[in-house]
Amino acid sequence: ASMKGDRIMKKILKVDFTVKSMCQLAMFMAITLILSYVNEIIPSLPQGGTISVDVIAIMLCGYLMGAGYGVICGIGVSLLQFVLGLATYYGPWSVLLDYVLPLAVCGLTPLMKTQKIGNLPICWGIVFVMFLKYLSHFASGAFLFASYAPEGMNPIVYSLGYNIIYVAPTLILCMIVVPLLYPRLKRAFM
C-alpha cells in the first residue's frame, strides 16, 4: 500500500518542463501578479492582510496543471511580488510565513477531490489549501507579530481572530469563482 501511495504522490506532484508547460506556468504566474494589483485596491487590515483575489489563479494552476506546477507558481509569484514591490519585508520568517508558504500551498488544490452535492460543486481542495494558508498566517501573527495584540490579550487568540477576518472571505470568493472558471479553462488544457 505504501508503494502505491508513493506512486500516486509522484504522479500528483510530477512536473515536466516542456515549452508548453513552462508557457502555461508563466501565464498563471502573470495572471496571479495582475490579480495581486487588484489586491492592492481592496482595503487591508491595519497590520496587513486582505481578501486575496490573486490566489484564484494559483488554485486554477494546481487544478489544471497539477499540484507540482501549482506549488511552483505560488513560490514563483511570492518571489516576484518582492521584486515588483508588492510585498513588504519583515524578516526571513515573515517572508516564509506571510508569502512563500501561503501562496505555495494554494497550488495543492488537486490533492483533495471535488464533490457534487446536487449541482453544487464543493471543492474540498480549496477548503484544504485555505486552511493551510490560514495556519501559516496564524503562525506569523502569533509568533512574529505578537506585539500587535492588544494589551492583556493572548497573541495566539488575537492571531486566530485577526487572520480569519480576511482568510474566510477569500475562501468564500474562491469557492464561487474557481468552480465557475475551471470547466471553461479545462477544455483549453486538454
Side-chain angles (χ1 to χ4, degrees):
S2 175
M3 292 293 284
K4 185 179 179 185
D6 289 346
R7 283 195 304 264
I8 291 170
M9 283 307 290
K10 284 180 182 172
K11 183 181 177 194
I12 289 172
L13 296 173
K14 183 175 170 56
V15 173
D16 287 323
F17 286 114
T18 63
V19 172
K20 180 181 177 181
S21 69
M22 287 191 297
C23 289
Q24 290 171 335
L25 186 58
M27 176 195 68
F28 278 113
M29 291 172 77
I31 292 168
T32 306
L33 286 170
I34 290 166
L35 292 174
S36 294
Y37 285 103
V38 174
N39 288 353
E40 295 295 309
I41 61 172
I42 298 171
S44 66
L45 295 173
Q47 282 85 41
T50 187
I51 296 171
S52 301
V53 177
D54 58 348
V55 299
I56 291 169
I58 300 170
M59 291 176 185
L60 285 167
C61 179
Y63 275 131
L64 293 164
M65 296 183 71
Y69 292 102
V71 170
I72 292 168
C73 181
I75 292 170
V77 165
S78 66
L79 299 175
L80 287 169
Q81 284 180 336
F82 281 97
V83 170
L84 297 172
L86 293 169
T88 307
Y89 180 78
Y90 293 107
W93 284 107
S94 172
V95 171
L96 180 67
L97 293 174
D98 290 326
Y99 295 97
V100 178
L101 197 56
L103 291 177
V105 300
C106 287
L108 296 174
T109 49
L111 296 185
M112 304 280 290
K113 295 249 184 233
T114 297
Q115 183 181 28
K116 279 206 171 196
I117 298 176
N119 287 335
L120 185 67
I122 306 298
C123 301
W124 293 111
I126 295 173
V127 174
F128 172 66
V129 302
M130 289 303 296
F131 178 70
L132 295 177
K133 185 178 190 307
Y134 173 71
L135 288 179
S136 186
H137 290 303
F138 157 73
S140 174
F143 304 113
L144 303 178
F145 297 100
S147 62
Y148 288 95
E151 191 173 323
M153 184 174 212
N154 183 321
I156 291 173
V157 172
Y158 180 70
S159 185
L160 283 169
Y162 182 91
N163 288 294
I164 200 72
I165 292 170
Y166 64 91
V167 173
T170 301
L171 168 66
I172 294 166
L173 175 71
C174 293
M175 291 292 284
I176 294 167
V177 175
V178 171
L180 289 174
L181 294 176
Y182 176 75
R184 290 158 180 82
L185 294 172
K186 187 177 180 184
R187 289 188 288 259
F189 281 80
M190 294 182 106

